[in-house]
Amino acid sequence: MALLVALLVQGYGLYAPQAPGPDGIPGLDKVGHLLLFGIPTLLACWLRARWLVPVLVVHALVSEPLQQLLAPMRQADPLDLAADLLGIALAVGIAATARRRWGHDGGMATATTAADARQGESR
């Protein structure tokens, strides 16, 4: 559910007629782009929906030109694309680090895996 909400927020943030958020703070939109792509990527990795990562990369590549077509008041910005891709890369790195350090599997362990672990403990 969290991944779906993150993707809906991403869609709104990218394709709203005007950029959401406060005006006047330089670079704030880049932070928004980083988070709009980083959070869904991180959730996808933790939920073992890693197939979504390349989809998000493609979406990052097409979202800027598409944004300009769908919302004429907005302009394509290569730095926004860079922030999108940086968000994806950071999220993949964070997920990989968490998996290595803490063995985090997104809470998606199967009953078979849990049973196998119990069986291994009793030996």
Side-chain angles (χ1 to χ4, degrees):
M1 186 56 117
L3 179 56
L4 179 61
V5 169
L7 291 171
L8 289 172
V9 169
Q10 180 190 69
Y12 174 76
L14 292 175
Y15 301 111
Q18 293 184 338
D23 290 331
I25 302 174
L28 186 62
D29 68 315
K30 305 307 178 248
V31 173
H33 277 268
L34 185 134
L35 294 174
L36 284 174
F37 279 87
I39 292 171
T41 301
L42 188 60
L43 291 169
C45 289
W46 280 348
L47 296 172
R48 292 186 178 178
R50 291 180 193 97
W51 59 268
L52 190 56
V53 175
V55 172
L56 287 166
V57 170
V58 170
H59 185 224
L61 294 171
V62 301
S63 66
E64 285 301 310
L66 189 59
Q67 191 178 67
Q68 191 169 341
L69 283 172
L70 297 175
M73 298 204 44
R74 298 180 72 169
Q75 295 179 340
D77 183 354
L79 293 178
D80 287 348
L81 170 61
D84 298 343
L85 295 173
L86 180 60
I88 292 168
L90 287 173
V92 168
I94 290 167
T97 300
R99 195 169 22 265
R100 275 194 312 274
R101 287 197 178 173
W102 300 294
H104 179 67
D105 65 357
M108 303 300 280
T110 62
T112 306
T113 305
D116 291 343
R118 283 191 300 273
Q119 218 173 27
E121 290 173 4
S122 65
R123 290 183 189 169

